[in-house]
Amino acid sequence: MKAFVVHGPGEAGVAEVAEPEPGVGEVVVEVERAGVCGTDVEFFTGEMEYLAEGHARYPMRLGHEWCGTVVRAGEGVHPAWVGRRAVGDTMLGCGRCRRCRGGRQHTCADRQEVGIRGGRAGALAERLAVPVTSLHELPDGIDGPLGALVEPGGNAVRAARAAAGERVLVLGPGTIGLLTALFARAAGAEVHLVGTTPSSLEFARSLGFPATADLPEPPFDAVVDATNDPSSPARGLELVEPGGRLVCIGLAGTPSRMDARSLVFKDVTAIGILSASPGLADAVDAYARGDVDPRPLVAATVGLDGVAAVLAGERPAGALAGPKILVDPQRL
C-alpha cells in the first residue's frame, strides 16, 4: 500500500510499504481522512522533542487525527467491527500500570502514540492497524472531515470544559484555539480570541467571535493558552481573574516560566491538557448533535503526494481561509 514516510528532517515522500497485519486485539482500518497537525510539522523539521528523548526515530509514518472504516479484524476481535466507521485514540497505554488501570492511559510512561511515539505507524497511509479498544464508532451523519476533526476536538472539548466560566479569553486563533472557542461558546460562554496574524483573526471573526490583536476589556474568568509562545502562560496568569482558571493546551519549543506567587496570591487553578483521550466521546456526541460544526476550519484536502508541501508550510492551490489541511489517502 501507499504511505507517507518521513526519513529525516525535510526528507519525506510517498512510498510503497507492507500492508498492515492486525495483531491480537487489533483491527485494520482503511483511512478515509486524516489531519495534518503541528506535531507532524515538528517531526518533519526535526524539532520534535520526542526525537531527542528517544521516544521516536526515523523513518516515521505520521498521522494521528483520522477516521476510517474497519476492513479486517484480528484474533480476539468481534467480526461485527468489520464495516464500521470509527475514529481512534492516539494514546495507547500499556494497560498494566497504575495510570492505565485508573483510566489515564494517555499519561502512561510506556505508552505508544499513533503516528508519533513508540514506532506505532500513523494514518497518513491507505490503511493502519490499531487496537480495537482504542476505537470510537462514528454515528451516521459524521462525514470524513468531521471524523478527522474528532481528535483535535477531543483536546478542545477538554480545554473548554476546564475553562468553565462566563467570560473566556483564548490566546491563539489556530485550529485548537478555534475549536476550544467553539466548544466554550456552545457551553454558553462569551468567548474572545487574541492573536497576531491578521488573516487568522479575520477568519475567527468570520465564525462570529470577537478577535483582535489587542486585549479586550477584562474580566476573564478563564484564559486558555493555545499558542506556541513560551511567554503566553505567564501572560494568561496575569490576565485571568482571581479565583479563575488558566488552561494550557499550547506547547512552546522552549520552557515557559510563570511566577508561582501570582498563581497563589490570585488563587488561580492552572490546568494542563495533554491529549484528546478523555474527550473523544464528547467530541463525537457534540458533532453528531450539531452543537459544534468545525468543518469551516478545513481549508483544503490533499492526497498523500501533497503532504510534504503542506508540512513545509505551503498552502494548497485554492485553499480556503481556515487553518486546517486534511488528507485523503485514497486519492490517486
Side-chain angles (χ1 to χ4, degrees), residues 305-316:
D305 58 354
V307 174
V310 171
L311 293 175
E314 297 181 21
R315 295 279 288 183

mmCIF file with all atom_site columns, all heavy atoms in Angstrom, residues 305-316:
data_model
loop_
_atom_site.group_PDB
_atom_site.id
_atom_site.type_symbol
_atom_site.label_atom_id
_atom_site.label_alt_id
_atom_site.label_comp_id
_atom_site.label_asym_id
_atom_site.label_entity_id
_atom_site.label_seq_id
_atom_site.pdbx_PDB_ins_code
_atom_site.Cartn_x
_atom_site.Cartn_y
_atom_site.Cartn_z
_atom_site.occupancy
_atom_site.B_iso_or_equiv
_atom_site.pdbx_formal_charge
_atom_site.auth_seq_id
_atom_site.auth_comp_id
_atom_site.auth_asym_id
_atom_site.auth_atom_id
_atom_site.pdbx_PDB_model_num
ATOM 1  N N   . ASP A 1 305 ? 0.438  12.652 -1.879 1.00 0.00 ? 305 ASP A N   1
ATOM 2  C CA  . ASP A 1 305 ? 1.528  13.310 -2.594 1.00 0.00 ? 305 ASP A CA  1
ATOM 3  C C   . ASP A 1 305 ? 1.591  14.805 -2.327 1.00 0.00 ? 305 ASP A C   1
ATOM 4  O O   . ASP A 1 305 ? 2.539  15.475 -2.746 1.00 0.00 ? 305 ASP A O   1
ATOM 5  C CB  . ASP A 1 305 ? 1.429  13.041 -4.097 1.00 0.00 ? 305 ASP A CB  1
ATOM 6  C CG  . ASP A 1 305 ? 0.108  13.499 -4.698 1.00 0.00 ? 305 ASP A CG  1
ATOM 7  O OD1 . ASP A 1 305 ? -0.790 13.932 -3.935 1.00 0.00 ? 305 ASP A OD1 1
ATOM 8  O OD2 . ASP A 1 305 ? -0.047 13.419 -5.928 1.00 0.00 ? 305 ASP A OD2 1
ATOM 9  N N   . GLY A 1 306 ? 0.604  15.360 -1.631 1.00 0.00 ? 306 GLY A N   1
ATOM 10 C CA  . GLY A 1 306 ? 0.625  16.775 -1.293 1.00 0.00 ? 306 GLY A CA  1
ATOM 11 C C   . GLY A 1 306 ? 1.050  17.065 0.126  1.00 0.00 ? 306 GLY A C   1
ATOM 12 O O   . GLY A 1 306 ? 1.156  18.237 0.514  1.00 0.00 ? 306 GLY A O   1
ATOM 13 N N   . VAL A 1 307 ? 1.326  16.017 0.907  1.00 0.00 ? 307 VAL A N   1
ATOM 14 C CA  . VAL A 1 307 ? 1.607  16.214 2.329  1.00 0.00 ? 307 VAL A CA  1
ATOM 15 C C   . VAL A 1 307 ? 2.941  16.920 2.562  1.00 0.00 ? 307 VAL A C   1
ATOM 16 O O   . VAL A 1 307 ? 3.041  17.815 3.408  1.00 0.00 ? 307 VAL A O   1
ATOM 17 C CB  . VAL A 1 307 ? 1.573  14.868 3.074  1.00 0.00 ? 307 VAL A CB  1
ATOM 18 C CG1 . VAL A 1 307 ? 2.017  15.046 4.528  1.00 0.00 ? 307 VAL A CG1 1
ATOM 19 C CG2 . VAL A 1 307 ? 0.177  14.269 3.022  1.00 0.00 ? 307 VAL A CG2 1
ATOM 20 N N   . ALA A 1 308 ? 3.978  16.551 1.832  1.00 0.00 ? 308 ALA A N   1
ATOM 21 C CA  . ALA A 1 308 ? 5.303  17.143 2.062  1.00 0.00 ? 308 ALA A CA  1
ATOM 22 C C   . ALA A 1 308 ? 5.261  18.651 1.900  1.00 0.00 ? 308 ALA A C   1
ATOM 23 O O   . ALA A 1 308 ? 5.844  19.394 2.705  1.00 0.00 ? 308 ALA A O   1
ATOM 24 C CB  . ALA A 1 308 ? 6.330  16.523 1.114  1.00 0.00 ? 308 ALA A CB  1
ATOM 25 N N   . ALA A 1 309 ? 4.570  19.130 0.887  1.00 0.00 ? 309 ALA A N   1
ATOM 26 C CA  . ALA A 1 309 ? 4.476  20.577 0.661  1.00 0.00 ? 309 ALA A CA  1
ATOM 27 C C   . ALA A 1 309 ? 3.741  21.259 1.812  1.00 0.00 ? 309 ALA A C   1
ATOM 28 O O   . ALA A 1 309 ? 4.134  22.348 2.264  1.00 0.00 ? 309 ALA A O   1
ATOM 29 C CB  . ALA A 1 309 ? 3.777  20.860 -0.667 1.00 0.00 ? 309 ALA A CB  1
ATOM 30 N N   . VAL A 1 310 ? 2.685  20.617 2.305  1.00 0.00 ? 310 VAL A N   1
ATOM 31 C CA  . VAL A 1 310 ? 1.943  21.184 3.435  1.00 0.00 ? 310 VAL A CA  1
ATOM 32 C C   . VAL A 1 310 ? 2.826  21.256 4.673  1.00 0.00 ? 310 VAL A C   1
ATOM 33 O O   . VAL A 1 310 ? 2.857  22.270 5.389  1.00 0.00 ? 310 VAL A O   1
ATOM 34 C CB  . VAL A 1 310 ? 0.674  20.355 3.714  1.00 0.00 ? 310 VAL A CB  1
ATOM 35 C CG1 . VAL A 1 310 ? 0.021  20.795 5.027  1.00 0.00 ? 310 VAL A CG1 1
ATOM 36 C CG2 . VAL A 1 310 ? -0.310 20.488 2.564  1.00 0.00 ? 310 VAL A CG2 1
ATOM 37 N N   . LEU A 1 311 ? 3.573  20.193 4.951  1.00 0.00 ? 311 LEU A N   1
ATOM 38 C CA  . LEU A 1 311 ? 4.466  20.192 6.106  1.00 0.00 ? 311 LEU A CA  1
ATOM 39 C C   . LEU A 1 311 ? 5.574  21.228 5.980  1.00 0.00 ? 311 LEU A C   1
ATOM 40 O O   . LEU A 1 311 ? 6.081  21.730 6.982  1.00 0.00 ? 311 LEU A O   1
ATOM 41 C CB  . LEU A 1 311 ? 5.069  18.803 6.302  1.00 0.00 ? 311 LEU A CB  1
ATOM 42 C CG  . LEU A 1 311 ? 4.092  17.697 6.709  1.00 0.00 ? 311 LEU A CG  1
ATOM 43 C CD1 . LEU A 1 311 ? 4.808  16.349 6.759  1.00 0.00 ? 311 LEU A CD1 1
ATOM 44 C CD2 . LEU A 1 311 ? 3.447  17.994 8.053  1.00 0.00 ? 311 LEU A CD2 1
ATOM 45 N N   . ALA A 1 312 ? 5.933  21.552 4.745  1.00 0.00 ? 312 ALA A N   1
ATOM 46 C CA  . ALA A 1 312 ? 6.955  22.566 4.504  1.00 0.00 ? 312 ALA A CA  1
ATOM 47 C C   . ALA A 1 312 ? 6.389  23.982 4.563  1.00 0.00 ? 312 ALA A C   1
ATOM 48 O O   . ALA A 1 312 ? 7.124  24.953 4.374  1.00 0.00 ? 312 ALA A O   1
ATOM 49 C CB  . ALA A 1 312 ? 7.609  22.333 3.148  1.00 0.00 ? 312 ALA A CB  1
ATOM 50 N N   . GLY A 1 313 ? 5.082  24.101 4.819  1.00 0.00 ? 313 GLY A N   1
ATOM 51 C CA  . GLY A 1 313 ? 4.491  25.416 5.008  1.00 0.00 ? 313 GLY A CA  1
ATOM 52 C C   . GLY A 1 313 ? 3.742  25.979 3.820  1.00 0.00 ? 313 GLY A C   1
ATOM 53 O O   . GLY A 1 313 ? 3.287  27.131 3.869  1.00 0.00 ? 313 GLY A O   1
ATOM 54 N N   . GLU A 1 314 ? 3.578  25.201 2.757  1.00 0.00 ? 314 GLU A N   1
ATOM 55 C CA  . GLU A 1 314 ? 2.875  25.700 1.577  1.00 0.00 ? 314 GLU A CA  1
ATOM 56 C C   . GLU A 1 314 ? 1.368  25.518 1.737  1.00 0.00 ? 314 GLU A C   1
ATOM 57 O O   . GLU A 1 314 ? 0.901  24.523 2.283  1.00 0.00 ? 314 GLU A O   1
ATOM 58 C CB  . GLU A 1 314 ? 3.350  24.963 0.317  1.00 0.00 ? 314 GLU A CB  1
ATOM 59 C CG  . GLU A 1 314 ? 4.821  25.172 -0.016 1.00 0.00 ? 314 GLU A CG  1
ATOM 60 C CD  . GLU A 1 314 ? 5.226  24.452 -1.285 1.00 0.00 ? 314 GLU A CD  1
ATOM 61 O OE1 . GLU A 1 314 ? 4.327  24.149 -2.103 1.00 0.00 ? 314 GLU A OE1 1
ATOM 62 O OE2 . GLU A 1 314 ? 6.429  24.158 -1.439 1.00 0.00 ? 314 GLU A OE2 1
ATOM 63 N N   . ARG A 1 315 ? 0.620  26.494 1.224  1.00 0.00 ? 315 ARG A N   1
ATOM 64 C CA  . ARG A 1 315 ? -0.836 26.381 1.189  1.00 0.00 ? 315 ARG A CA  1
ATOM 65 C C   . ARG A 1 315 ? -1.238 25.768 -0.143 1.00 0.00 ? 315 ARG A C   1
ATOM 66 O O   . ARG A 1 315 ? -0.782 26.200 -1.203 1.00 0.00 ? 315 ARG A O   1
ATOM 67 C CB  . ARG A 1 315 ? -1.499 27.753 1.315  1.00 0.00 ? 315 ARG A CB  1
ATOM 68 C CG  . ARG A 1 315 ? -1.270 28.439 2.630  1.00 0.00 ? 315 ARG A CG  1
ATOM 69 C CD  . ARG A 1 315 ? -2.187 27.953 3.717  1.00 0.00 ? 315 ARG A CD  1
ATOM 70 N NE  . ARG A 1 315 ? -3.575 28.382 3.560  1.00 0.00 ? 315 ARG A NE  1
ATOM 71 C CZ  . ARG A 1 315 ? -4.528 28.102 4.438  1.00 0.00 ? 315 ARG A CZ  1
ATOM 72 N NH1 . ARG A 1 315 ? -4.243 27.367 5.512  1.00 0.00 ? 315 ARG A NH1 1
ATOM 73 N NH2 . ARG A 1 315 ? -5.778 28.517 4.248  1.00 0.00 ? 315 ARG A NH2 1
ATOM 74 N N   . PRO A 1 316 ? -2.106 24.753 -0.141 1.00 0.00 ? 316 PRO A N   1
ATOM 75 C CA  . PRO A 1 316 ? -2.544 24.164 -1.404 1.00 0.00 ? 316 PRO A CA  1
ATOM 76 C C   . PRO A 1 316 ? -3.256 25.188 -2.282 1.00 0.00 ? 316 PRO A C   1
ATOM 77 O O   . PRO A 1 316 ? -3.907 26.114 -1.778 1.00 0.00 ? 316 PRO A O   1
ATOM 78 C CB  . PRO A 1 316 ? -3.514 23.053 -0.959 1.00 0.00 ? 316 PRO A CB  1
ATOM 79 C CG  . PRO A 1 316 ? -3.141 22.764 0.454  1.00 0.00 ? 316 PRO A CG  1
ATOM 80 C CD  . PRO A 1 316 ? -2.675 24.055 1.027  1.00 0.00 ? 316 PRO A CD  1
#
